[in-house]
Amino acid sequence: MAEHAGRAWSGRALGIQNTAQNAVASATPPILGALIASVGYGPAFTAILTNQAARAVIEAAIAAAEVTDQRYSVAVVDAAGHLNAFARMDGAPHITIQVTTDKACTAAGFGMTTQAWHDFIKDDAPLATGVPAQIDRIVTFGGGIPITAGGHPIGGIGVCGGHWSDDIRIAEAGLAAIA
């Protein structure tokens, strides 16, 4: 199951394929069947976020952003934090490029939202002081959401351009593309 914000998405909905069974359920729309690929042997599988899936997430997020008066950047990274897809709307501030990719990287690397990071460290002085200052690329405010499959992170989306609460809304809209 892929999970985000209390919602669970089945492998079938994400188009995840178990190589042992070597089939995606026939009810899965063709585009979704190609969005998430599986690699591995035997009954176990490792889901990976394909570029096609990453681009679908980006396109849905940008479509949601276009109806606002803000200009956004959106990044999707793989489980290792490597950039898979990116878009910067005309007029989005240059700094959104880095913040967006850092939010996606934080979400993918830890399997939790960037907003959850704030909640996790806010009441612990050593963490609140040390984490943002000493861990490169970590972001502790909303806009980064992990993409998971089978309970394991396979990537992350990061959005920057509005208030962090607006960034979350745009990121969620992007994830809906692969729900």
Side-chain angles (χ1 to χ4, degrees):
M1 301 286 261
E3 301 170 13
H4 164 67
R7 287 179 254 161
W9 298 308
S10 69
R12 180 181 181 137
L14 287 172
I16 295 172
Q17 179 177 350
N18 182 328
T19 55
Q21 296 171 348
N22 200 25
V24 174
S26 61
T28 303
I31 189 160
L32 290 181
L35 292 182
I36 307 287
S38 296
V39 296
Y41 300 96
F45 69 94
T46 302
I48 59 169
L49 186 64
T50 65
N51 182 255
Q52 184 179 4
R55 287 183 290 135
V57 169
I58 294 284
E59 289 172 14
I62 292 295
E66 286 177 338
V67 300
T68 72
D69 61 351
Q70 302 283 31
R71 303 295 92 195
Y72 290 87
S73 288
V74 182
V76 174
V77 300
D78 64 17
H82 300 289
L83 189 62
N84 191 325
F86 177 84
R88 177 177 169 240
M89 296 174 70
D90 293 340
H94 184 267
I95 191 67
T96 62
I97 297 168
Q98 179 179 343
V99 176
T100 296
T101 55
D102 288 353
K103 285 181 179 185
C105 191
T106 299
F110 291 98
M112 60 193 274
T113 67
T114 54
Q115 179 184 358
W117 259 105
H118 176 275
D119 297 336
F120 182 69
I121 67 173
K122 70 180 180 178
D123 296 324
D124 187 326
L127 287 178
T129 303
V131 167
Q134 297 177 5
I135 301 176
D136 289 341
R137 302 190 70 185
I138 198 158
V139 177
T140 59
F141 51 90
I145 302 173
I147 302 169
T148 62
H152 302 285
I154 60 169
I157 180 174
V159 174
C160 184
H163 184 270
W164 62 265
S165 60
D166 296 325
D167 294 350
I168 292 170
R169 187 177 48 75
I170 300 300
E172 288 173 339
L175 289 178
I178 57 173

